[in-house]
Each structure stands twice: as C-alpha cells, then as structure tokens.
Amino acid sequence: MRVTVIGTGYVGAVTGACLGWLGHRVTCVDTNSSRIERLRAGISPIYEPGLEDLLRAAAARGGLDFTTSLDQAVRESEVIFIAVGTPSMPSGEANLSYLETAARSIGAALTTSAAGPGFRVIVNKSTVPVGSGNLVGTLVREGMANGSQAEFGVASNPEFLREGSAIHDSFFPDRIVVGAEDRRTLDAMRALYAPLVAQQFAAPPFAPRPAAIGTIPFVGTTLTSAEMIKYSANAFLAMKIGFANEMANICERVGADITQVMSGIGLDSRIGPKFLNAGLGWGGSCFGKDIRSLLHTAGEYGYHARLLETSLAVNDAQRLSVIQKLQEKLRILKGRTVALLGLAFKPDTDDLRDAPSLQIAAKLTQMGVRVRAFDPVAMDICREQNPDLAITYCASAEEACTGSDALILVTEWPQFAALDLVSLAGRMSHAVLIDGRNLFDPMAARAAGFDYCGIGRP
C-alpha cells in the first residue's frame, strides 16, 4: 500500500521505518528540512536501538523515503498517518495545534486525480484526546477545495511503543487497536496490518521474532473507544508503578523488602509481574501528559478523577524521596558533592522529557549541592536542552564519583550493574549509595564499602 507519515519524531520515524520494512511504500514528511536530510542519510533523529539499521534497510529495499513536500505524498497515498506532537499545555489539555495544521494540509492536498486512490484513510497515530477523530475529519473537509469530491475515512490507531524497545514493539505488538466509524476504513487498516497480524514477514536480524508469538489480536472499535484505550492503558501502567512505590514506602517503615513483596504479588495472574518495580517513579513523554489530558477531559464532563490525580502526586513525591534519604545519611547537604548515575528517564534512550534526574538535580543545586553526572547517551542532549542546569558532566561513572559525598543511581542502565563497586567506593569522600532503582545487591554494595540505601528495602 502507498502510505504517508506526517511527522518524523519518535512515533513517526519508527512507524514509517517499520511499514517500509513490511513492504509498503512509505513517504515520511516533516517541515524540518535538516531532519529530513539526516533521515535520508539514515541518521535517526532520536536514540533508539536498531532504528538507524531499520531506516537504512527499509530505504535500501525501496520502501521508504523522506520529503518536506506534503501535497504529492498525500495525493498518491491510500493511508495517511498523522504522527505529530501533542504536548501538554499548562492546563493539562493537549496542544492540538500541530494536529490541526496537519489535518487542514491534508484536506488542501486531497484531490480525485486519476493518479491517486479513490478512497483514503487518515489515521491519528498521535496520542490525542477523546473526540480528536471527529475534529480531524471536520478540519480535513474544511481544508478541501470547494467542489472536491475526494473520499476519506478517519481512524484512530494509537501506538503502544516503549522507548528502548520500539522496533520490537512495532513488529511483535500485544495488540493492534484501530477505531473507525465505517467498514471501508476498518478494512483498509486490516489490509495495511495484515503481515503483522499473521506474522507473515521476514523479521529483521536486529529484531528477531519471539519463539512463542502467534497471531496478533486486531482490536476493531469506535474512534472514541480507541482514543480511550490509549489513555486508559497508560494511566493504568502509571498507577501500577505508583502502587509499587506506595508499598515500598510502607515496606521501609515496617522492615519488609519491596522486591520480595512485588515478586510475590506479581505471581498472581490477575496482577502480573510487569511495572511493579519500585524506584524514583516514572518519567518520559507519555504517562504524565496522558494522565493530565485525561483529567482535563474528565473535568470537561464534570467528573473528578481522584485516582488519576493521586497518581501524579505520588510520582512527584517519590522523586524527591532521595533528598530525604541523603539528609538522613549526610545530615547537612549544603556544600556537599553528589554524583548522579543516569540522566535519561529510562535505559536505552536519550529522552529527558519529565526525567526524574532533572528534578533531583535542580533540587540539589537549589540546596547548595555540587552535582556531578554521567549518562552513557543523554549528556549532550541534556546540555543542549537544559543550559541553565548547573551540573558538571563527567566522562565516566568513575569520574563522577571521584571526591563525591554520595552517589544516586537514577537510571538503571545495564552497564551500571557491572560497575566495580569497590573501586567506586574508594574514590568517594563519603561512600553513600542511594540506589534509586534497586539495581544493586544490598549485601554486595555494603561489602564493597558503601553505606547503602535502596527504595523499599530494610
């Protein structure tokens, strides 16, 4: 099928590359000309394992190209994805200005020329509030030239990608959700995703197919329900992490070990083991933004969603719990030096959106602490995005720890688990370790000379 993807950020670039690999003819469109040039050279706009390999492979197979010109791509395409940003506004409401611009541009480009298909599907891939499918349809029609008879349908096709494993999640998803109000639109999306649903495609070598995977569920539903599925999923996962952190804080007070408690409850098939790791809380571009948007929608309809409000409050408090732990260990923080291991909100990404590290670093510097930081991937982008953040960037974990009074493990990068703790402790003025992700074995850390403190561990 002929496909256009508008927006080459995280979702757009991954979606375009994966559809191109599957054999569709995909054009990715963006107004940022320098980004388009980099993508043409096979350079990813984001750090995501395997994405550059996939971009180059899909392009080499003739399935993927990039342009700043939207009109021709839209006119020739059967399926048009909108994958633009929908950032939060101060009210919590999603900013739909990019979505609205894309929809109007699609309308202006649609024609019934012989070169193009007779029926198009316009797909909301961006995470958008309930009702956005209807809005897109209206804006496309408003953007169409007078007298245009172009036929189109609107679909909601939310993404469920985890940063750091987006390629795997795209090729081997738990489910594919498509919302539409007419059969032609739904059938077109079934055809688009047929190789994924049946798992009848050659998996790329950098994303091998799991041995036990079977047919992928295709969930066909209404526009409104598909939009709610996305928000509900993220809200539930955020609450699950928040629950683990609430239990961790109780475990600390009664002498239980949260890792054992969560392991025990995760064996219950009704609960499951995922997203039960206690720590510094969640970050990233999705959970906080989506919960705030859902709260705004609930408020528009006169409903007070208390559980969602509490999820945000629990997460904010959890991040700063490390400050209290430092005070308990060092008493006076002013004039101290603290090392942070990890800046990205999670491993295998350079994404700093809503990263706990930034809030922790800002609070520490405000309290007169000298902050030293190391991250394997995210330091350059942190410098660029946060020029006023007064921290020292170090070339290694060892450099960050040298002369420091305490070490906070913020991001559980796998390479941090292999660090020589004896060597790190020996470099520090005071060997205090606040393990914000429960990455290290407490007994091993103490044997190495650290005054160890985890999250929810006695």
Side-chain angles (χ1 to χ4, degrees):
M1 299 177 73
R2 188 71 171 86
V3 179
T4 290
V5 179
I6 301 173
T8 59
Y10 185 82
V11 174
V14 172
T15 298
C18 290
L19 290 174
W21 175 271
L22 291 176
H24 300 296
R25 183 71 180 87
V26 182
T27 298
C28 292
V29 181
D30 202 296
T31 57
N32 187 326
S33 58
S34 61
R35 172 174 284 192
I36 289 296
E37 289 303 317
R38 287 170 61 83
L39 283 163
R40 285 174 177 163
I43 301 172
S44 171
I46 55 170
Y47 179 85
E48 177 64 35
L51 181 53
E52 289 193 347
D53 292 334
L54 189 64
L55 288 167
R56 293 168 183 158
R61 291 164 60 149
L64 184 63
D65 63 7
F66 305 92
T67 183
T68 57
S69 177
L70 179 143
D71 287 1
Q72 182 177 353
V74 167
R75 284 196 297 268
E76 295 177 355
S77 290
E78 300 162 78
V79 181
I80 303 154
F81 283 93
I82 301 177
V84 297
T86 55
S88 285
M89 296 191 288
S91 65
E93 184 179 6
N95 182 346
L96 299 182
S97 60
Y98 303 113
L99 180 83
E100 293 169 356
T101 298
R104 291 191 178 96
S105 298
I106 292 169
L110 283 181
T111 69
T112 54
S113 65
F119 179 77
R120 283 109 168 163
V121 176
I122 301 166
V123 186
N124 270 343
K125 195 68 174 175
S126 305
T127 300
V128 291
V130 172
S132 296
N134 294 337
L135 175 64
V136 164
T138 297
L139 294 176
V140 170
R141 283 186 288 272
E142 289 179 355
M144 292 168 63
N146 289 335
S148 174
Q149 299 299 312
E151 292 185 284
F152 70 91
V154 177
S156 173
N157 175 216
E159 51 82 18
F160 300 98
L161 307 181
R162 298 168 297 169
E163 294 188 43
S165 59
I167 305 303
H168 179 279
D169 293 347
S170 295
F171 284 129
F172 316 113
D174 293 326
R175 76 289 202 197
I176 297 170
V177 174
V178 175
E181 302 302 326
D182 63 276
R183 178 56 58 182
R184 279 202 295 179
T185 299
L186 203 59
D187 287 346
M189 294 300 290
R190 285 186 190 275
L192 180 78
Y193 285 125
L196 280 184
V197 170
Q199 285 294 296
Q200 292 179 346
F201 64 94
F206 41 83
R209 180 178 282 106
I213 196 168
T215 302
I216 305 300
F218 184 97
V219 181
T221 184
T222 64
L223 279 171
T224 303
S225 294
E227 291 162 348
M228 274 298 295
I229 286 171
K230 170 64 176 180
Y231 279 112
S232 300
N234 277 353
F236 182 78
L237 294 175
M239 287 191 293
K240 201 172 180 183
I241 296 170
F243 174 81
N245 284 329
E246 287 274 63
M247 295 303 103
N249 295 333
I250 298 174
C251 283
E252 289 182 3
R253 287 157 174 80
V254 302
D257 188 325
I258 189 62
T259 59
Q260 296 175 12
V261 172
M262 292 298 103
S263 177
I265 73 168
L267 294 172
D268 188 323
S269 60
R270 299 168 299 175
I271 297 173
K274 296 182 179 179
F275 284 79
L276 288 178
N277 295 325
L280 298 179
W282 42 261
S285 64
C286 295
F287 286 174
K289 177 175 73 73
D290 292 356
I291 291 176
R292 292 183 183 93
S293 181
L294 195 53
L295 280 167
H296 186 273
T297 297
E300 286 184 325
Y301 287 84
Y303 182 72
H304 185 191
R306 296 170 182 82
L307 197 56
L308 299 182
E309 285 185 342
T310 302
S311 294
L312 294 176
V314 167
N315 198 62
D316 287 343
Q318 192 69 16
R319 295 178 174 191
L320 297 181
S321 66
V322 295
I323 307 297
Q324 181 181 354
K325 294 180 187 299
L326 281 177
Q327 290 172 325
E328 291 170 356
K329 295 292 185 181
L330 297 175
R331 302 299 180 188
I332 302 299
L333 297 188
K334 192 178 299 293
R336 302 282 195 179
T337 299
V338 173
L340 302 184
L341 289 190
L343 292 169
F345 87 92
K346 64 176 289 188
D348 292 322
T349 182
D350 61 355
D351 197 343
L352 290 163
R353 288 175 290 183
D354 200 21
S357 63
L358 300 181
Q359 190 173 353
I360 292 168
K363 182 64 174 178
L364 287 174
T365 56
Q366 179 186 344
M367 298 175 70
V369 177
R370 276 62 175 169
V371 177
R372 299 164 62 83
F374 171 71
D375 187 285
V377 170
M379 291 199 293
D380 287 343
I381 197 167
C382 191
R383 286 191 190 96
E384 177 185 335
Q385 294 180 355
N386 302 276
D388 297 327
L389 188 61
I391 66 176
T392 300
Y393 297 94
C394 300
S396 65
E398 289 78 10
E399 181 183 333
C401 288
T402 300
S404 294
D405 296 291
L407 164 64
I408 303 176
L409 188 285
V410 181
T411 312
E412 64 275 33
W413 285 92
Q415 49 265 58
F416 290 163
L419 288 170
D420 184 340
L421 295 183
V422 174
S423 173
L424 291 185
R427 293 170 175 268
M428 298 176 66
S429 297
H430 296 86
V432 172
L433 170 56
I434 309 297
D435 186 356
R437 299 296 180 183
N438 290 338
L439 181 68
F440 301 110
D441 176 78
M443 293 182 66
R446 292 177 181 122
F450 274 108
D451 183 357
Y452 175 89
C453 179
I455 305 295
R457 286 174 155 179

